Amino acid sequence: MKLISLFQKVDIAEKIKDAPDSGYQIGVVIGSFIPFLVLGGIALWMYLRAKKRAKNGN
């Protein structure tokens, strides 16, 4: 069930249109960027780890 929820399409424009106040809108925007930031952090960590490994000759 968790795997299915990861691939669901979320219409952000619809959520913002139906938002009760501006605080909810800010939360929706921040929540939509968090997955990209996490993936970017993981990619940076992997890049730096590979760079360090190549520098040490392993």
Side-chain angles (χ1 to χ4, degrees):
M1 188 65 166
K2 282 187 176 183
L3 184 62
I4 293 171
S5 66
L6 293 175
F7 295 110
Q8 290 180 341
K9 298 283 183 180
V10 178
D11 190 14
I12 295 173
E14 182 76 23
K15 283 186 172 269
I16 290 176
K17 185 179 81 171
D18 296 336
D21 61 357
S22 63
Y24 185 81
Q25 293 175 356
I26 292 170
V28 168
V29 172
I30 291 172
S32 66
F33 285 117
I34 287 176
F36 296 109
L37 293 176
V38 170
L39 289 174
I42 291 170
L44 178 63
W45 173 73
M46 290 173 65
Y47 169 75
L48 292 175
R49 187 172 166 207
K51 186 177 175 183
K52 183 178 178 182
R53 183 177 289 174
K55 183 178 179 183
N56 290 337
N58 291 335

